[in-house]
Amino acid sequence: MDDIRFAVLGTGGIGRRTLEVSQHKDGLTAVATCDRNGVAIDHDGLDVDELLESTEGNIASGPQDDGPDDVATDGGAAAAKADGVKQHGEQAGIVASTQGEPTETPIDDIIAESDAIDAVLLALPNLEHDFIPRVAERFAEADYEGVMIDVLKRSRVIGMLDDREDKLKESGITFVCGAGATPGFLTGAAALAAQSFVEVEAVEIWWGVGLKSGYEDNRGTVREDIAHLDGYDIETAREMSEDEIEALIDEHDGVLEFHDMEHADDVLLERAGICDAEDVHVGGVLDVRSDEKPTTTTVSVTGTTFDGETGTNTFELDDVTSMEANVNGPALGYLKAGVRNNRAGHYGVFGPADLMPGF
């Protein structure tokens, strides 16, 4: 394929890592990015290193939606109140970059340039269920023809994208949803592991993540994961202050363990015909204070073969592979697969079990 020009919406942890990892992938050129206060666009290619330096520790990293009362940032409600300015008063984020321009409509500014963009990766928050689907709809209403990728986690969001599929197809959009690690890479691994069986009885995904950069650079990811803890939900996690989150982390000595998470792997595997959503279980362990993974990431698929045998196929990630490698690498691989399919005229909503990522 020709060189792929892509944009990243949001420069929090996921957005910044996407830009960083893209420099190690052939055939990709980052041409646009934005946060809630600024936008950087260069059709010849952005200076990614300079942007990464400028957005390090970005407080308010997700673009603000244009709804009357909606504020969405990668850092959540507390970050939104910071309004994109660091505590010491200096400018933060893209507006601090030599490539950045201040704006009150960052997403619209990217949409206005989308004719020259092959793919858009949405590194946006998932704490507002319909935020990513609404952004996709805005691109479709602007007649964008290209690829959109997200790494969303929540099962319920897939249905919101499916409800918009006709509009996405009409525009010429290929939308690849849940294309990170889980859902994403591990969902695809489960689909492959299931091929030995004529009936799948259970899919167990157990992940381990060590955040070497800690909570500070992964605010949105940690906040969203907290919503899966017993006694918490999306609303309570979103309204927690930074002090409350740090106190919760301290209470657990930096290690959070999750069981029966609402992860879109279930819906995505059901959509692909692998198994019923209720047979998929996702859990894991997050250590925000260590480079080491607290547990090995595995995918186990149990099923019955055509000759009546019951077995379990297990896929395991090496402990040295980081969250950055396992989320952003596959996201960019699925981005390439999306572009390949889009150029072949395949439009609509696809999951990670529907496509093989490019390399």
Side-chain angles (χ1 to χ4, degrees):
M1 293 188 298
D2 296 335
D3 191 53
I4 296 171
R5 302 160 299 172
F6 75 99
V8 176
L9 303 188
T11 55
I14 291 175
R16 294 181 71 254
R17 286 191 294 267
T18 297
L19 291 168
E20 181 181 8
V21 174
S22 73
Q23 297 181 99
H24 302 275
K25 295 277 191 178
D26 292 336
L28 294 176
T29 300
V31 296
T33 189
C34 64
D35 60 19
R36 63 178 279 110
N37 292 313
V39 63
I41 300 173
D42 187 335
H43 296 303
D44 293 325
L46 296 169
D47 183 342
V48 171
D49 287 334
E50 194 268 345
L51 275 173
L52 292 176
E53 182 177 352
S54 299
T55 57
E56 186 175 3
N58 198 4
I59 296 177
S61 48
Q64 182 175 343
D65 196 16
D66 292 337
D69 298 313
D70 266 339
V71 176
T73 73
D74 191 64
K81 295 174 184 176
D83 200 28
V85 179
K86 294 183 178 179
Q87 290 181 353
H88 298 296
E90 69 270 26
Q91 283 188 320
I94 286 177
V95 293
S97 165
T98 60
Q99 305 166 79
E101 296 289 340
T103 179
E104 295 182 357
T105 56
I107 293 176
D108 288 338
D109 290 0
I110 298 291
I111 291 175
E113 301 287 340
S114 61
D115 284 349
I117 297 172
D118 300 307
V120 179
L121 191 144
L122 295 86
L124 298 171
N126 295 313
L127 289 179
E128 293 183 47
H129 304 155
D130 62 347
F131 185 42
I132 287 176
R134 282 190 285 117
V135 171
E137 189 170 13
R138 287 163 63 181
F139 273 82
E141 289 171 349
D143 296 324
Y144 173 62
E145 299 179 44
V147 175
M148 304 192 77
I149 304 286
D150 69 50
V151 296
L152 61 84
K153 297 179 182 179
R154 291 277 171 175
S155 303
R156 68 191 75 178
V157 184
I158 307 302
M160 297 177 186
L161 288 168
D162 286 339
D163 290 342
R164 293 165 169 81
E165 183 165 30
D166 288 344
K167 183 171 289 188
L168 297 175
K169 284 182 176 180
E170 186 178 322
S171 177
I173 291 175
T174 303
F175 197 107
V176 187
C177 56
T182 171
F185 180 26
L186 302 183
T187 322
L192 289 174
Q195 299 307 312
S196 298
F197 309 118
V198 294
E199 182 178 359
V200 171
E201 299 173 9
V203 175
E204 303 283 343
I205 297 175
W206 182 252
W207 54 264
V209 170
L211 292 179
K212 63 183 179 181
S213 53
Y215 168 63
E216 186 67 24
D217 197 37
N218 297 277
R219 295 168 184 262
T221 297
V222 175
R223 184 182 292 271
E224 187 176 350
D225 282 338
I226 286 173
H228 293 275
L229 288 172
D230 288 341
Y232 293 83
D233 56 26
I234 291 175
E235 287 71 27
T236 56
R238 186 181 178 207
E239 293 304 318
M240 290 176 71
S241 69
E242 299 298 311
D243 288 342
E244 288 173 329
I245 289 180
E246 292 179 12
L248 176 64
I249 292 171
D250 287 340
E251 181 183 336
H252 290 79
D253 295 323
V255 180
L256 304 177
E257 186 166 326
F258 306 88
H259 298 274
D260 293 321
M261 304 176 75
E262 187 204 333
H263 256 227
D265 304 85
D266 56 359
V267 176
L268 292 167
L269 286 169
E270 183 172 273
R271 289 172 83 254
I274 304 300
C275 61
D276 293 336
E278 63 188 19
D279 296 326
V280 181
H281 303 280
V282 180
V285 184
L286 171 68
D287 189 340
V288 301
R289 296 175 177 170
S290 174
D291 292 353
E292 302 291 330
K293 286 186 181 179
T295 186
T296 297
T297 296
T298 59
V299 179
S300 297
V301 180
T302 299
T304 305
T305 66
F306 77 97
D307 48 359
E309 297 294 335
T310 298
T312 299
N313 288 341
T314 300
F315 176 88
E316 180 178 298
L317 294 185
D318 195 296
D319 287 343
V320 302
T321 58
S322 64
M323 184 179 75
E324 291 88 342
N326 294 328
V327 172
N328 299 93
L332 290 170
Y334 281 116
L335 183 150
K336 286 189 171 185
V339 171
R340 183 173 65 245
N341 277 270
N342 185 264
R343 291 176 178 176
H346 303 152
Y347 311 134
V349 179
F350 298 84
D354 300 321
L355 305 173
M356 283 292 290
F359 188 73

